[in-house]
Amino acid sequence: MIIREANEVDWENIYPIFRSIVESGESYAYPHDLSSEQARRLWMEQAPSFTVAALEGNAVLGTAKVGPNRPGRGSHVATASFMVHPDYQGQGVGRQLGNYVLTWARDHGYHSIQFNAVVETNDAAVRLWQSLGFNILATVPDAFDHPVHGLVGLHVMYLIL
């Protein structure tokens, strides 16, 4: 697998992943009815942030976006978001994307990385981030409306780099 910065040509392969993950309603609060162009504006980041694609051949297995969590005096803390194609979940794609982002953030001088909204019922993601050293700082109760579990919490997760 190769992870590299995503380009506009990659979007046609990233959008089906985005649409599938968002439509499942289990891990992202994005609206379900976004057009490809609306979704692209949300996912394909502009500098100083950027978006990556995890590729095997021409297939996009997953994607992530990374950059400063806040501008100005908060820009020493990174943040990131991840999506893995449903057919490739559980095969290490998320871990490789996570390691890529952590290495990038360290190499670019970030002090820490914060995930602002990890759905508490997304057990695979919570386990992955904890295995990479993240701690749950807080859980905002009832902040996410899950299609199966109803109102569930959102974890704020943090790692000093």
Side-chain angles (χ1 to χ4, degrees):
M1 177 176 18
I2 295 171
I3 299 174
R4 62 157 172 77
E5 189 165 357
N7 57 51
E8 291 302 319
V9 174
D10 293 322
W11 179 246
E12 70 182 55
N13 293 313
I14 292 172
Y15 178 60
I17 298 169
F18 181 98
R19 188 178 63 241
S20 175
I21 299 293
V22 170
E23 286 178 358
S24 79
E26 296 181 6
S27 55
Y28 279 89
Y30 292 133
H32 293 261
D33 58 351
L34 294 173
S35 69
S36 175
E37 181 57 27
Q38 291 169 318
R40 186 188 63 73
R41 284 194 302 267
L42 287 170
W43 196 258
M44 299 296 282
E45 293 284 346
Q46 301 298 311
S49 301
F50 71 102
T51 302
V52 299
L55 303 159
E56 194 166 274
N58 291 329
V60 176
L61 310 182
T63 181
K65 60 181 190 167
V66 61
N69 191 42
R70 297 282 180 245
R73 294 194 175 274
S75 63
H76 61 285
V77 178
T79 193
S81 298
F82 303 83
M83 291 186 179
V84 175
H85 190 292
D87 292 346
Y88 300 102
Q89 292 176 359
Q91 297 180 30
V93 176
R95 179 172 298 278
Q96 288 190 51
L97 282 165
N99 282 324
Y100 179 94
V101 163
L102 291 177
T103 298
W104 179 87
R106 283 185 183 103
D107 290 350
H108 286 81
Y110 283 88
H111 172 266
S112 54
I113 186 165
Q114 175 180 320
F115 297 156
N116 300 311
V118 179
V119 177
E120 70 180 344
T121 55
N122 188 347
D123 296 327
V126 172
R127 277 193 314 272
L128 171 60
W129 305 136
Q130 287 178 321
S131 77
L132 292 176
F134 283 82
N135 292 306
I136 297 170
L137 294 183
T139 303
V140 182
D142 300 338
F144 186 82
D145 189 4
H146 193 282
V148 174
H149 304 290
L151 297 179
V152 299
L154 288 175
H155 293 319
V156 177
M157 300 186 79
Y158 184 77
L159 174 67
I160 294 176
L161 299 170

